[in-house]
């Protein structure tokens, strides 16, 4: 009975070590995904801001062109 218990303890320690390594890998991958999403968000905000400025300039140009007629 004692041998079986020791075997179970060894198996559990191996399992625990493997799971800990897998969790570390998962957390590292999640950190990489978070960083990528932040980059995408920053680019989207920059493009949106540029588009707003472009459209505002276009509207101003159209309005000033209509006033000169």
């Amino acid at each position: 009975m004692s041998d079986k218990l020791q075997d179970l303890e060894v198996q559990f320690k191996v399992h625990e070590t493997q799971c800990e390594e897998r969790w570390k890998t998962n957390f590292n991958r999640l950190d990489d995904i978070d960083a990528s999403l932040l980059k995408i968000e920053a680019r989207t905000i920059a493009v949106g801001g540029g588009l707003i400025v472009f459209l505002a300039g276009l509207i101003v140009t159209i309005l000033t062109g209509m006033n000169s007629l």
Side-chain angles (χ1 to χ4, degrees):
M1 190 68 156
S2 179
D3 290 339
K4 189 169 184 168
L5 183 60
Q6 286 178 349
D7 186 43
L8 286 174
E9 284 180 8
V10 169
Q11 288 179 7
F12 177 73
K13 290 292 182 186
V14 169
H15 173 77
E16 191 176 35
T17 304
Q18 289 174 344
C19 285
E20 183 178 344
E21 186 61 35
R22 287 181 186 142
W23 275 112
K24 285 180 185 177
T25 302
N26 282 334
F27 284 129
N28 288 336
R29 291 179 70 192
L30 287 173
D31 288 341
D32 293 343
I33 291 170
D34 283 342
S36 295
L37 286 175
L38 288 174
K39 287 179 186 177
I40 291 170
E41 181 184 11
R43 288 179 186 157
T44 303
I45 290 171
V47 169
L51 185 61
I52 289 170
V53 169
F54 170 74
L55 291 175
L58 189 63
I59 290 171
V60 169
T61 303
I62 291 172
L63 291 177
T64 56
M66 290 176 66
N67 287 339
S68 64
L69 291 176

